[in-house]
Amino acid sequence: MSESACEPIHSTNETSSQMTQWENGSASLNLIKKAVVVLTRLPDYKISALRPPTPQQSYSEAEFSSSSGSDMQWQPEDDSTDSDFSVSNNNQKSDKNSSGDTRKPSNSSEINPSVGISPTSAHCSHETMNIHPNLPQDEVKVDMMVLARKKRMKWQRGKIVEIISKDGRLKYKVSFEEKGKILVSGHHIAFDTPPKVEHLFVGTRVVVQCQDNKFQFRPGVLAELPSRKNRFRFLVFMDDHTPVYVGLPFFHLVCRPLENMFDDIPDGFHKHFMKQYMKDWPYPHLTIYRVGQSLNAEYFGEQQRCEVQAIDCSLIQVVFQADHHREWIYRGSIRLEHAQARFLEVSVRREAMNESDSD
């Protein structure tokens, strides 16, 4: 076989770079191949996902939208993949273990009507204990579509037809899509568009789309931001104490919320619950239950026997023995017998402190 005009000559020394020499007459060409490492900066949400989960984690708006495909339902899913809420089959556990308290110690002694959450992942609790971010308010103008309060627990879509200054305050006349008009304050209208992530914090006043009627909405307070702990969903407490997990597209920000959001919640046990919840945040009291466990919960104004059917992060689904009614209840709800005892204890302690201060 005749020799080729271009004959490769291999180096006898094997290193990380290989040299190949071609000889073509008197000309020689040396080519050196070197390994190159290309570093790519990960997005913030991927960096956050690699950190240990915390109740205060927040993620990008794109993640909220993409992970909320099944979150438009009022009822959460029946199963839970969170190992912290695993179900035990041991029915011989003591009451102490079956109703254990997962709350971590908190030094906060004041009730915060709104707890700010940093747009980036907050790794320590002290980073989240701030008043909500001072962001510019979106404009509210005539001919703008909004969600307006028609009844206490019933908000509907309508158009602002007039803005009136009355007693030094702005009032908004809204014409509903179905029929009728109403004159309301700024804290009784909500934006018709999904909220921006940077505007969301624990304590935000929102309205949530109803499952059974997409044209009706109910008011509530944002209680949890998405994290791996709650499977990237928002938890909202409705003003009637109903808890619901939702995705970003299915709730809306109140346009001009009151400075103290408690003033917008009707008087009653839920208002007391929300005050205690905000005081305990970011370590709210959660009782641990297991599927099949029997307990007492408030139903039609009295404690009734029920059984845990499913666990979904901060919620449990129970079925009442009397009429087999099913519903989801927050694991720290004042409706539960264990939590109710704690709330009574806190109330008695607070009254005693108030009496000692007045002496």
Side-chain angles (χ1 to χ4, degrees):
M1 182 180 292
S2 61
E3 295 183 356
S4 172
C6 297
E7 181 181 357
I9 300 176
H10 299 282
S11 174
T12 57
N13 296 326
E14 294 184 2
T15 61
S16 60
S17 62
Q18 295 180 341
M19 177 182 298
T20 305
Q21 180 179 13
W22 283 268
E23 294 183 356
N24 187 5
S26 60
S28 63
L29 177 63
N30 294 332
L31 297 179
I32 299 177
K33 295 181 180 180
K34 293 184 177 180
V36 177
V37 178
V38 179
L39 299 178
T40 303
R41 179 176 177 80
L42 293 175
D44 290 340
Y45 73 89
K46 288 188 177 181
I47 297 176
S48 300
L50 296 175
R51 294 174 177 170
T54 63
Q56 299 83 28
Q57 279 184 311
S58 58
Y59 294 80
S60 67
E61 185 169 350
E63 280 192 305
F64 295 155
S65 301
S66 62
S67 63
S68 60
S70 61
D71 294 333
M72 65 182 296
Q73 302 295 325
W74 275 100
Q75 290 84 2
E77 299 175 82
D78 290 343
D79 60 331
S80 176
T81 58
D82 197 321
S83 60
D84 289 352
F85 302 94
S86 59
V87 177
S88 172
N89 294 322
N90 183 7
N91 294 326
Q92 303 300 323
K93 288 187 177 182
S94 64
D95 290 341
K96 179 179 179 180
N97 291 332
S98 63
S99 60
D101 199 335
T102 62
R103 178 178 180 265
K104 297 181 180 180
S106 174
N107 295 327
S108 174
S109 61
E110 297 181 357
I111 298 176
N112 297 320
S114 56
V115 180
I117 303 298
S118 172
T120 57
S121 178
H123 197 63
C124 301
S125 61
H126 70 270
E127 296 178 10
T128 68
M129 300 302 291
N130 301 316
I131 301 301
H132 61 84
N134 186 19
L135 298 173
Q137 293 181 324
D138 292 339
E139 184 181 5
V140 179
K141 55 187 177 181
V142 175
D143 293 332
M144 177 178 176
M145 295 300 296
V146 294
L147 307 171
R149 169 177 159 159
K150 197 168 187 178
K151 296 180 180 179
R152 186 175 71 87
M153 292 299 297
K154 182 179 178 181
W155 293 45
Q156 290 185 343
R157 183 173 282 105
K159 179 187 290 187
I160 297 178
V161 295
E162 187 178 0
I163 300 178
I164 303 172
S165 179
K166 187 175 183 180
D167 299 330
R169 298 181 179 180
L170 293 179
K171 297 283 186 176
Y172 304 87
K173 182 177 290 187
V174 178
S175 177
F176 291 109
E177 283 185 337
E178 294 184 353
K179 63 178 182 178
K181 295 182 179 180
I182 194 170
L183 187 65
V184 293
S185 301
H187 63 281
H188 285 158
I189 57 174
F191 294 106
D192 190 33
T193 55
K196 298 177 181 178
V197 174
E198 59 267 24
H199 290 169
L200 300 177
F201 55 91
V202 173
T204 305
R205 284 294 286 175
V206 298
V207 293
V208 180
Q209 185 179 31
C210 295
Q211 176 192 2
D212 54 354
N213 187 342
K214 65 179 182 179
F215 300 107
Q216 290 188 8
F217 302 81
R218 304 173 69 188
V221 176
L222 198 61
E224 287 180 8
L225 296 185
S227 72
R228 285 179 291 173
K229 283 288 187 181
N230 61 20
R231 298 156 74 178
F232 304 103
R233 295 169 294 178
F234 294 89
L235 177 64
V236 177
F237 289 130
M238 301 291 99
D239 283 355
D240 62 357
H241 200 61
T242 301
V244 55
Y245 276 119
V246 292
L248 188 68
F250 305 106
F251 67 92
H252 305 261
L253 287 178
V254 170
C255 293
R256 299 292 183 261
L258 297 177
E259 183 175 353
N260 188 339
M261 65 93 174
F262 299 129
D263 294 337
D264 209 14
I265 300 177
D267 292 334
F269 78 92
H270 176 65
K271 187 171 186 175
H272 294 296
F273 165 80
M274 286 306 306
K275 287 183 176 181
Q276 189 62 45
Y277 181 88
M278 298 305 297
K279 180 180 178 180
D280 293 338
W281 182 264
Y283 303 116
H285 288 260
L286 286 174
T287 305
I288 298 177
Y289 296 97
R290 62 184 183 276
V291 172
Q293 179 178 345
S294 295
L295 65 146
N296 290 328
E298 185 275 330
Y299 185 47
F300 285 118
E302 61 182 24
Q303 292 289 315
Q304 297 193 30
R305 205 65 178 165
C306 61
E307 183 179 296
V308 178
Q309 296 291 299
I311 301 174
D312 184 8
C313 301
S314 298
L315 308 181
I316 57 173
Q317 186 187 51
V318 300
V319 56
F320 289 91
Q321 295 179 356
D323 58 0
H324 303 289
H325 167 72
R326 295 173 182 264
E327 65 174 295
W328 289 93
I329 301 178
Y330 179 65
R331 291 195 291 117
S333 170
I334 196 173
R335 292 180 58 192
L336 301 174
E337 186 177 45
H338 302 105
Q340 193 174 80
R342 173 188 168 268
F343 271 90
L344 291 175
E345 179 182 351
V346 171
S347 298
V348 171
R349 190 185 308 121
R350 185 181 297 119
E351 291 179 1
M353 291 177 62
N354 292 337
E355 289 179 0
S356 62
D357 291 342
S358 60
D359 292 341

